[in-house]
Amino acid sequence: MATSVLSAAASGASCLLLVLLLCCSAGQCGLQKSNPTPPPLHNDINKPQTYPEEQRDSLPVFTMDYPRIQIPFEVTLWVLLASFAKIGFHIYQKITIWIPEPCLLIAIGLIVGGIMHAVKEEPPAVLSSTAFFLYMLPPIALDSGYFMPTRPFFENMGTVLWFAVVGTLWNSIGIGLSLFAICQFEVFGVQDINLQENLLFASIIAAVDPVAVLNVFEDLGVNEQIYIVIFGEGLFNDVVNVVLYNMFAFLSQMPVVESSDVFLGVARFFVVGIGGLFFGLLFGFVAAFTTRFTHNVRQIEPLFIFMYSYMAYLVAELFTISSVLAIITCAITMKYYVEENVSQRSCTTIRHVIKLMATISETLIFFFLGVVTITTDHEWNWAYILFTLVFAFVWRGMGILVLTQIINPFRTIHFTFKDQFGLAYGGLRGAICFALVFTLPDTINRKKLFVTASIAIIIFTVFLQGISIRPIVEYMNIRRTNKDPNTIAVEIHTRMMEHVVSGIEDLCGQWSRHYWKDKFKKFNDRILRRVLLRDNKAEHCIVSLYKKLELQHAIELMDTPMGDLSAAPSIISLDDERKEATRSMKTFLAADVRKMHEILSKNMYKIRHKRLAYTNKYRLPDNSQTREIMIRHHARIQRNRRAESFRERSQSNILGSQKDFSLQPGGDPASAFALRRRSHVKDKVVSARSSSSSLVPMRRLNIIKELSSAVELPSSSGVNLLDERGRTAPVPAPRRHSTNRSDEDGDPGDHPGEELVQPPQLPPPQAWVPDSRENELGNPLLRHQSQGSGGSGRS
Amino acid sequence: MGSRASTLLREEEIEEIKKETGFSHSQITRLYSRFTSLDKGENGTLSREDFQRIPELAINPLGDRIINAFFPEGEDQVNFRGFMRTLAHFRPIEDNEKNKDHTASEPLNSRTNKLLFAFRLYDLDRDDKISRDELLQVLRMMVGVNISDEQLGSIADRTIQEADTNGDNCISFNEFIKVLEKVDVEQKMSIRFLH
């Protein structure tokens, strides 16, 4: 605690230092400007030749040239400052749980703005229209598009579009009209704002910005549906926003509104939307196609992704169509093909850089929001601003209620009241609103009022709603789900059933529920993949992930002597088993049960759909659970393969069928029996470990025989090589790999007690992994594993 | 779904499967095309490797058990009938079926049969009891690596304790049914099959 306070103080101090530095440099710049070298005194040429002492310039040892680096320097300083603030927050973890990050950033921005105002400095024009829309917004949109969970998104596409389009329309028109009604009252002093201007302002503040909310929602475990609806809504209301803004801005110049303008507006909406989609798709496919040929220039592969998506954005801006839609569509289209074409490193680079840029952008935006709040000229009008807040809230709530009622019958999963509340309350406004209001034409004479009002509404929603949504939702959650103390069993069994259903769904290929989805898939496989992918191996991304995990697993096993994920925790010793039978019933206190619930909810694997789709906005997609499962699964397969290879080997043993012999050749009954009993223990171990398939219980006897046969007949392994090699079952790559590894540990003379005897190495497969590495890993790897497993046998 | 699929599957077979499992004609043909797409060896049966080739099953913690459930005792291949028979457990219970009296042969997707499917996932040795050992195995598969054995052991003990009524430290099928009596098993263990 003390250290965290210290480090917080340290970062705070460095922040302050940076600010001062910034002010000084700005001041310095002024100084520098007014200090050029004095011009030669030409006008004194008539004077006698008594020049002042000719100053012979000595060689400057130390010069400063600030203007040259001013812009990049200041940009870097600001970015550093904002990032320090971010570091500062995360030092004390609890803060970010209760106060969402945007709030903190705005707060720090307010402080810095206050300082700058006191020093009479102007902040850089970051939130001006150009800088914001051309530099700050694209990375955020790209990030949203690239990491969008596509499956839930497409499944909920209708709902998302419904809320985005109709919801935003409802909001803007509702708020605009009500504000206009308010303006009619003389007492508030805002009579000069006409209908168009009101509508314009309303269209600006109706746009919802999901950044802050997603953060909170994810921690609260709000379900996937709400997440995707809010996420999508925030992204797609940009289309409506653009249309409405342009339309109303245009109309505000006109004295009279005609009905033809409204129709044109609708037409424009379609142009904007479809145009955005078109450009996004175009650039996405071109990018995917380009990456098909980049395998020789791996270093610049990420460049294409960024350049193409930025191009999509800029071209859309050129035509004043929805650039956010364009870049998002581009990202979604690109991602699938690009991630298959580029190398693994490029893939990682792309993801990291996108996250980096998006985080910087977001941080800066909120930060400057705080700064600019202080430094702009405000015009405060209590009535207008208060009513804006009220109407924004009311209309959003009503809008969500009405819209949900209409759309619920069309959905398979209905929105409950809690969901609706989350949607309504989670409608925070963000920086887009702010930037838009700055771009208002200056012909609007109440522009300052609008600026103030939008700042007010942003800060209000972000702070108040952002901070309070968590306690409210938690309260609602707690009220709803009362954990019955007797439900540990139910919890486990239901999770088991969920896994099973999810597995069967995957087995049946039930990914899509739409005819169009199937059609697209066919089109994809037949045409798109052939054109856009370099190697059309039709390899699932999970399979390649699996292969990469294998390699990593192998390396990890080398590094961590005790870190054998596969075998360590699952062995139950025979002694414990015996203790089980005689153990009396333990009594469990309520506290114990609660603790168990906690453990289970934190540690049970979530089902696949929930696992893959959820991504935290501020972190890269986390597939550590998937990795764990795959590593353990792979290890299990390895063991089963070995067990199965034993069975096969013994079955085709030249010395006769081994199925039912009770006497080891060359052994006497007594020793065989003893051997079997000793091996029974091992068998328990083995059966516990190879838990996953019924191979084991059925072949229990065989394994005993094999163990003993392995012990007694090591030489027979050489004979069975042929069978191993001859077996050409169409095994998937991981299996082949594992067989290989098991075959490499070619030490038939292993001491008894080692359960495995390996035949010499098979010819290396044409697998993706370099052979030399395999050879290195072969022996120590296996010895590690079997040692680990033998050691933890505890028998 | 293509013509290739239906020519390989005879009408009488479809009728029989329909009667046995309750799937509709189109569902059966669709699942048959899925079956053939999985069947890389093209011999009309699926082996364990064919299942293990499905990537999503590799990342399912209970993937191996699920695959196992398709193969009857001691066999390594499953034909289409067996495939459908297992999948029939997951057919949703339609309203008109709910009110039917229990005939001699209960439909495969009845609540009891669904629960039996789940029960068999635990009970590998088919002795109609889930021992502590078997429970621990499944628990271990479902839970991350950070849980120690003792914690898992006590969770398993508690699970058995909640269910066990006759004190044999194992969960029998009836006890299993009783524990889950409040859970909407029909909905949880159902998949909406595409038509």
Side-chain angles (χ1 to χ4, degrees), chain A residues 410-424:
Chain A
F410 296 98
R411 288 179 54 85
T412 45
I413 304 176
H414 293 235
F415 284 134
T416 65
F417 179 66
K418 175 188 160 207
D419 295 339
Q420 291 173 38
F421 176 76
L423 273 177

Side-chain angles (χ1 to χ4, degrees), chain A residues 642-692:
Chain A
R642 274 186 245 130
E644 209 178 86
S645 72
F646 261 111
R647 176 183 65 87
E648 298 225 355
R649 205 175 305 130
S650 77
Q651 274 177 354
S652 47
N653 197 318
I654 289 184
L655 295 179
S657 96
Q658 308 287 305
K659 272 262 181 200
D660 303 296
F661 74 82
S662 46
L663 266 191
Q664 319 301 321
D668 57 60
S671 76
F673 188 68
L675 207 59
R676 213 178 307 148
R677 193 151 37 130
R678 182 160 53 98
S679 311
H680 179 73
V681 167
K682 267 273 183 310
D683 165 64
K684 270 282 180 185
V685 166
V686 171
S687 71
R689 215 181 305 135
S690 318
S691 56
S692 46

Side-chain angles (χ1 to χ4, degrees), chain A residues 127 161 296 437 476 636:
Chain A
L127 286 185
L161 285 178
N296 288 322
V437 87
M476 289 174 89
R636 262 202 303 274

Side-chain angles (χ1 to χ4, degrees), chain A residues 377-427:
Chain A
D377 305 327
H378 290 291
E379 180 188 334
W380 188 265
N381 181 311
W382 274 107
Y384 198 73
I385 293 177
L386 275 178
F387 276 111
T388 310
L389 291 172
V390 167
F391 285 137
F393 199 63
V394 163
W395 279 100
R396 178 151 179 96
M398 274 178 26
I400 297 285
L401 267 172
V402 169
L403 291 179
T404 327
Q405 289 308 316
I406 299 180
I407 193 126
N408 253 344
F410 296 98
R411 288 179 54 85
T412 45
I413 304 176
H414 293 235
F415 284 134
T416 65
F417 179 66
K418 175 188 160 207
D419 295 339
Q420 291 173 38
F421 176 76
L423 273 177
Y425 205 66

Side-chain angles (χ1 to χ4, degrees), chain A residues 486 489 493 496 499 501 507 518 569 572 580 586 603 605 611 632-633 636 641 691 730 735, chain B residues 30 34 49 52-53 59-60 64-65 121-122 132-133 140 142-144 147 149 161-162 188 193:
Chain A
N486 272 347
H493 295 317
M496 191 263 297
H499 278 300
V501 164
L507 204 147
D518 277 349
I572 307 151
E580 284 317 315
K586 255 166 61 174
N603 286 291
Y605 291 129
R611 218 163 49 230
R632 294 165 81 187
H633 173 82
R636 262 202 303 274
R641 267 287 115 186
S691 56
R735 189 76 61 67
Chain B
R30 175 178 249 280
R34 175 70 175 168
E49 281 98 12
Q52 274 156 352
R53 221 174 276 126
I59 61 171
N60 191 312
D64 294 329
R65 296 277 172 127
L121 279 175
Y122 285 107
R132 183 177 185 269
D133 184 8
R140 178 45 75 187
M142 289 207 298
V143 149
I147 307 292
D149 282 341
Q161 204 183 64
E162 285 172 4
K188 274 211 162 340
F193 285 96

